[in-house]
Each structure stands twice: as C-alpha cells, then as structure tokens.
Amino acid sequence: MEEKLKIKLSIADRVYPLTIDPKQEEGLRKAAKNIENLAKKFEQNYAVRDKQDVLAMCALQFASKIEQSGIDRSENTKAVLERLKALDDLVHSKLGE
C-alpha cells in the first residue's frame, strides 16, 4: 500500500495543503499551474481584479473544454458507426446476403 503524500498547491494567491496518492502529484501540479497561467491571462487581458471572478472564468473555460471534448467524441463516434454500418452493408451486398 502506497504512503500518502502531503503537498501544498498555490492557486490564486492561496495555499492549499493536500494529502494525495503519489501518482496524483504530477497531474495536480500541472492542473494548478494551468489554473495559475489562465488566471494571470484573464487578469492581464480583462483587467479583472476580483479573484473569485477570475477563478469562475477559469472554471468555465476548463469545464467548457471538457464538455466540448465530450460533444466532439460523441459526434466522432456517430460518424464512425455510420461508416461501419455502410461498410457492413457493402460487405453483405458483395457476399450476396
């Protein structure tokens, strides 16, 4: 059984102590860094000073990417299924079934 790891992540000028599985560390640190970078971008480009507004905008950005990715995957899956059905129909027609 793996030992838990205690780390501290800084997000929006606040430090968050976490106890995690060691395999989660890289992902959490990258996520925190991405949030920090995006927050800085929003603060610079939109002159937003309220950290809550900045974090809400970050959350919206990341959530919309996840949702769009799901939509894209769903559309791709539908297209693949249609192509597979067409291929199956073609194979059956050539085999005389």
Side-chain angles (χ1 to χ4, degrees):
M1 187 169 167
E2 286 189 45
E3 292 281 326
K4 295 288 185 178
L5 181 64
K6 292 185 179 199
I7 65 170
K8 292 180 181 179
L9 296 178
S10 177
I11 300 172
D13 299 329
R14 286 195 182 179
V15 175
Y16 296 91
L18 301 171
T19 303
I20 61 168
D21 289 325
K23 63 184 175 190
Q24 294 177 298
E25 183 179 13
E26 183 180 2
L28 285 168
R29 289 197 186 277
K30 284 183 177 180
K33 187 175 182 177
N34 287 337
I35 292 168
E36 279 293 304
N37 290 338
L38 188 58
K40 283 179 187 175
K41 220 161 105 175
F42 282 135
E43 287 173 333
Q44 291 168 353
N45 293 337
Y46 299 105
V48 179
R49 296 273 182 242
D50 185 348
K51 292 290 183 186
Q52 185 173 345
D53 289 340
V54 170
L55 290 174
M57 292 167 66
C58 289
L60 180 61
Q61 177 98 8
F62 289 123
S64 68
K65 283 183 181 180
I66 290 169
E67 292 300 324
Q68 190 60 50
S69 177
I71 291 167
D72 293 345
R73 266 195 314 273
S74 176
E75 289 173 357
N76 288 341
T77 300
K78 185 177 177 182
V80 167
L81 288 174
E82 288 173 359
R83 291 174 66 192
L84 285 173
K85 170 125 178 52
L87 184 59
D88 186 53
D89 290 345
L90 180 63
V91 168
H92 278 41
S93 72
K94 296 296 180 187
L95 293 175
E97 293 184 8

